[in-house]
Amino acid sequence: MTIINDEALSRCIRDAVRAELKEHFNLGRNPPPENERLLSKQELATELGVSLVTLTDWMKKGLPFLRLHKRVYFKKSQVLNIMHQNITNQIKEDKR
């Protein structure tokens, strides 16, 4: 019977999560189109599987958005890039 220590288990989980996120978001494989369609708050919330309240909180914390005629829109590529950067930074902090 093999017993895995906490550090090895934590590293294994981080590596698996990183690989899944990279595959899920397909980062770095295809550049976003020049004329990328803008998503409304509702559309982005649905795409990410979060509530409008959560999305608003993320906006207050720096999630990039555009305001056009009192409406809010997002470029999905920008949002995914910021999310990827935040996850990468969190993983680096966890390793310390």
Side-chain angles (χ1 to χ4, degrees):
M1 180 171 153
T2 304
I3 298 176
I4 188 168
N5 65 27
D6 289 343
E7 185 178 331
L9 178 60
S10 179
R11 189 175 338 114
C12 188
I13 291 170
R14 276 195 306 267
D15 292 344
V17 168
R18 186 179 301 121
E20 285 296 317
L21 287 170
K22 191 172 187 176
E23 183 179 325
H24 177 73
F25 291 123
N26 196 18
L27 293 172
R29 292 183 190 163
N30 299 320
E34 291 275 330
N35 55 354
E36 179 178 3
R37 185 173 87 77
L38 298 176
L39 300 177
S40 69
K41 264 178 102 170
Q42 183 64 57
E43 289 171 325
L44 184 64
T46 301
E47 283 261 342
L48 298 176
V50 298
S51 69
L52 291 173
V53 173
T54 298
L55 193 57
T56 301
D57 286 344
W58 290 354
M59 290 168 60
K60 290 176 185 175
K61 293 177 181 175
L63 188 70
F65 65 92
L66 304 165
R67 190 175 296 275
L68 300 171
H69 307 290
K70 298 184 179 183
R71 293 184 181 246
V72 173
Y73 297 96
F74 302 87
K75 285 189 175 183
K76 186 177 176 181
S77 62
Q78 284 182 337
V79 170
L80 294 179
N81 190 31
I82 288 292
M83 292 176 76
H84 180 259
Q85 288 174 1
N86 288 343
I87 291 168
T88 302
N89 291 341
Q90 185 64 46
I91 290 170
K92 286 178 184 175
E93 287 179 17
D94 290 347
K95 286 186 177 181
R96 294 180 192 169

